[in-house]
Amino acid sequence: MNHPARTAIMLGAAAFAGASAGAVAFWLLTSPQFSRQINLGAWRSTAAVGEAAQDPYSRARVAMYGIWGLPPREAIYFTADRDDDGQRLRPECTYQISGGALPTRWWSLTLYRSGFYVANPANRYSWSQTDVAKDSAGLWRIIVKPKGEGQNILTSAGGEGGLLVLLRLYQPHADVIADRKRTPLPSLRRVGCAPTYS
Amino acid sequence: MLALVVFVLSGAITHLVLIWRAPLLATDHQISEGIRRGGAWNTLLHGPPPRAGATSVPLANPDTLGSRAYLDLRKGPFQLLGTRPDGCIYWSASVFAHNTDTVLLLTDGDTPDRQVSLGIRTTEQTFSEPVRHEAVLPSATGVLLIRCFMRDRTDAAYLAKLDAQRRQIVLRPMGEGAP
């Protein structure tokens, strides 16, 4: 092979390798792990969603993982794909999510698999401040389990992929907007994974 | 040395192009998916209560009775006009630019009398008549999203009333050169 041909191949390879490296860097820097996240036990919250002007990485990240979200003054989102012990949520396990009043106009808690609703006969994908059953003290308990329907139950068996719980606070109180660590977030505890829990 | 320069330049250019293009492509993808599912440009589409398998938007809110319009403002501005429903736990209208930035957010708190008059235009356009609120898009492509949170998504009578109420809001062309 003559010299110009070798040079062209070398430059082509360098261009290809560079483009691949650039694409990998894009994928890494826009993945949820690299966002400006606030970690609060099992829960994580992304700082910049739905702002009028975002930095280019936040914009790309939100476009891919939560397009058309609302800004923090209107909604704050907390996600959990692990339980309180740091174990990844598994569809064959049963979990108890327990909480009380939240500092917001309205809240809802939704279960997803691979980012989408979990199909179930009751078409029940979430519980909210309006329809969750509470005790006399205002405390509530939502059960995530592979199968079964009923009040305060979310089923996880349908679909494929990882589980994610998303807690939405709409028009949260000012102190929570200022500091999300002030949110009294629910606990997310694994009850068990034996077949008897199904 | 030349190979290293080519490597770095190629990587940087690819990276920057992806960062710039990703939000635009995400919007285009959602619009094409929405049109594939029965939507149309410059038409307010009132979606049914969310169901598994019926949405292409990741992490969509299942308590939202949503309406949306894919905006092409090349032929002129539009106006969202009408009376918003009174049965929503929360109501808002958001206008997003092609790059997904939120251009305007109008909520029930901004419209205590329930009357909505939202003009949507590009920076080069003007309205032919006064509007109460306006969204000015930096691009001709945009998305209008109306969120109405349902008190009880299993109450058929309540949903029927809500559905009838939300259809009182219309999206209409306005201004010179409007389609």
Side-chain angles (χ1 to χ4, degrees), chain A residues 73-74 105 171, chain B residues 84-85 88-93 105-116 132-133 147:
Chain A
R73 71 177 186 281
E74 208 63 20
R105 172 177 165 184
Q171 294 188 346
Chain B
R84 66 169 172 79
C88 308
I89 286 176
Y90 166 92
W91 182 93
S92 71
L105 176 63
L106 187 69
T107 72
D108 42 13
D110 300 319
T111 55
D113 60 358
R114 294 173 53 209
Q115 298 308 306
V116 177
R132 290 174 73 172
H133 299 92
R147 294 173 164 98

Side-chain angles (χ1 to χ4, degrees), chain A residues 55-111:
Chain A
D55 70 83
Y57 289 99
S58 295
R59 181 183 291 125
R61 188 178 303 117
V62 169
M64 292 189 293
Y65 297 102
I67 193 169
W68 303 330
L70 290 164
R73 71 177 186 281
E74 208 63 20
I76 292 179
Y77 308 93
F78 295 96
T79 61
D81 59 4
R82 295 173 187 273
D83 61 22
D84 286 343
D85 294 325
Q87 301 298 311
R88 192 169 289 282
L89 300 180
R90 292 160 47 193
E92 69 272 23
C93 297
T94 294
Y95 298 91
Q96 178 177 293
I97 306 172
S98 308
L102 291 163
T104 186
R105 172 177 165 184
W106 190 75
W107 61 263
S108 69
L109 190 142
T110 309
L111 178 70

Side-chain angles (χ1 to χ4, degrees), chain A:
Chain A
M1 194 180 290
N2 60 21
H3 183 67
R6 265 207 323 262
T7 303
I9 289 171
M10 188 178 68
L11 293 180
F16 179 76
S20 301
V24 169
F26 164 79
W27 178 76
L28 283 174
L29 290 171
T30 57
S31 70
Q33 288 87 341
F34 277 76
S35 61
R36 284 193 290 140
Q37 286 188 333
I38 301 156
N39 295 308
L40 298 161
W43 302 91
R44 290 181 301 187
S45 187
T46 301
V49 172
E51 297 284 17
Q54 304 177 80
D55 70 83
Y57 289 99
S58 295
R59 181 183 291 125
R61 188 178 303 117
V62 169
M64 292 189 293
Y65 297 102
I67 193 169
W68 303 330
L70 290 164
R73 71 177 186 281
E74 208 63 20
I76 292 179
Y77 308 93
F78 295 96
T79 61
D81 59 4
R82 295 173 187 273
D83 61 22
D84 286 343
D85 294 325
Q87 301 298 311
R88 192 169 289 282
L89 300 180
R90 292 160 47 193
E92 69 272 23
C93 297
T94 294
Y95 298 91
Q96 178 177 293
I97 306 172
S98 308
L102 291 163
T104 186
R105 172 177 165 184
W106 190 75
W107 61 263
S108 69
L109 190 142
T110 309
L111 178 70
Y112 299 92
R113 281 190 79 165
S114 296
F116 294 95
Y117 308 137
V118 182
N120 65 87
N123 295 312
R124 168 62 66 180
Y125 319 114
S126 68
W127 291 99
S128 74
Q129 177 177 314
T130 320
D131 55 17
V132 75
K134 309 179 189 98
D135 66 17
S136 56
L139 303 177
W140 50 266
R141 189 180 64 176
I142 293 171
I143 302 295
V144 176
K145 55 195 286 191
K147 288 181 181 174
E149 298 169 14
Q151 183 66 44
N152 289 20
I153 290 175
L154 293 173
T155 56
S156 55
E160 295 178 348
L163 290 179
L164 181 84
V165 177
L166 174 48
L167 175 66
R168 295 174 162 92
L169 307 187
Y170 287 99
Q171 294 188 346
H173 295 177
D175 56 340
V176 173
I177 297 173
D179 183 3
R180 294 179 200 191
K181 292 175 183 169
R182 295 183 184 177
T183 311
L185 290 166
S187 66
L188 205 170
R189 189 172 61 82
R190 188 167 76 179
V191 178
C193 300
T196 51
Y197 289 106
S198 65

Side-chain angles (χ1 to χ4, degrees), chain B residues 96-125:
Chain B
F96 299 93
H98 196 183
N99 70 356
T100 74
D101 281 357
T102 306
V103 174
L104 183 97
L105 176 63
L106 187 69
T107 72
D108 42 13
D110 300 319
T111 55
D113 60 358
R114 294 173 53 209
Q115 298 308 306
V116 177
S117 167
L118 168 62
I120 306 168
R121 64 176 175 87
T122 65
T123 48
E124 293 85 21
Q125 295 169 335

